[in-house]
Amino acid sequence: MRASKRFLIQALGFVAFLSGCATSPTVTSDAAAQLRQQADAWDRAIVRKDVAAISQNMAESFQQIDSRGNLSNKAQFLSGITSEKLVIFPYEPEDVVIRFYGAVALITGTTNLRGTYSGKPFTTHYRYTDTYFNESGVWRVVNVQTTEMSQ
């Protein structure tokens, strides 16, 4: 009986927490536009292999889950994305949607990514979710997850 009562209290606390995470009424289209510009600048930095600019947009606790389920931390992601073997051609995310939940923002969209790896061309089409967290007024990406889509 005591364990079920504790579970009920925890569950109610969790529900209260989630209701506090609902889309913030103070979020404006300006906030979404600003975050979209930041995300677009990050994409351009990736194409340029600008390690400082890529890193600045990322939280220290950053993780990436790729289409195969592989997990990378910040250092691994930076190493892979800036590898001399990898050349990414400029790209434009499509179908971008930004949703705010308090200090968390989800950016979802699709991308057709083209480039070369070890001189061999590749093309991939994927859907992604970038999770940003606002800490002390600064948005940083904490998680990226991609799902490969058929061409």
Side-chain angles (χ1 to χ4, degrees), residues 86-91 111-116 121-124:
L86 178 64
V87 175
I88 297 174
F89 301 152
Y91 60 95
T111 297
N112 288 302
L113 195 64
R114 297 180 310 108
T116 61
F122 71 84
T123 300
T124 183

Side-chain angles (χ1 to χ4, degrees), residues 7-148:
F7 173 77
L8 179 61
I9 291 169
Q10 289 172 339
L12 289 173
F14 184 67
V15 168
F17 167 77
L18 287 178
S19 67
C21 289
T23 303
S24 170
T26 61
V27 172
T28 66
S29 60
D30 289 344
Q34 183 180 9
L35 189 54
R36 174 69 192 260
Q37 288 175 353
Q38 182 177 336
D40 289 346
W42 192 48
D43 290 338
R44 291 188 303 274
I46 288 172
V47 170
R48 293 191 316 273
K49 297 185 182 208
D50 182 339
V51 176
I54 298 167
S55 181
Q56 182 179 4
N57 190 58
M58 302 166 72
E60 289 306 313
S61 61
F62 173 88
Q63 291 189 97
Q64 178 202 23
I65 303 169
D66 71 17
S67 291
R68 294 188 180 121
N70 298 310
L71 187 63
S72 300
N73 63 26
K74 182 176 181 176
Q76 293 164 329
F77 179 85
L78 285 168
S79 176
I81 206 76
T82 60
S83 168
E84 290 181 13
K85 294 179 180 182
L86 178 64
V87 175
I88 297 174
F89 301 152
Y91 60 95
E92 291 292 326
E94 299 172 350
D95 307 318
V96 176
V97 175
I98 300 175
R99 296 174 291 157
F100 291 91
Y101 301 94
V104 174
L106 300 177
I107 302 178
T108 58
T110 61
T111 297
N112 288 302
L113 195 64
R114 297 180 310 108
T116 61
Y117 190 80
S118 293
K120 296 180 181 173
F122 71 84
T123 300
T124 183
H125 184 216
Y126 64 89
R127 184 173 308 282
Y128 67 90
T129 300
D130 292 352
T131 305
Y132 279 76
F133 180 71
N134 189 319
E135 186 171 28
S136 301
V138 178
W139 289 100
R140 301 252 190 265
V141 64
V142 294
N143 193 80
V144 170
Q145 183 157 3
T146 59
T147 302
E148 201 162 340

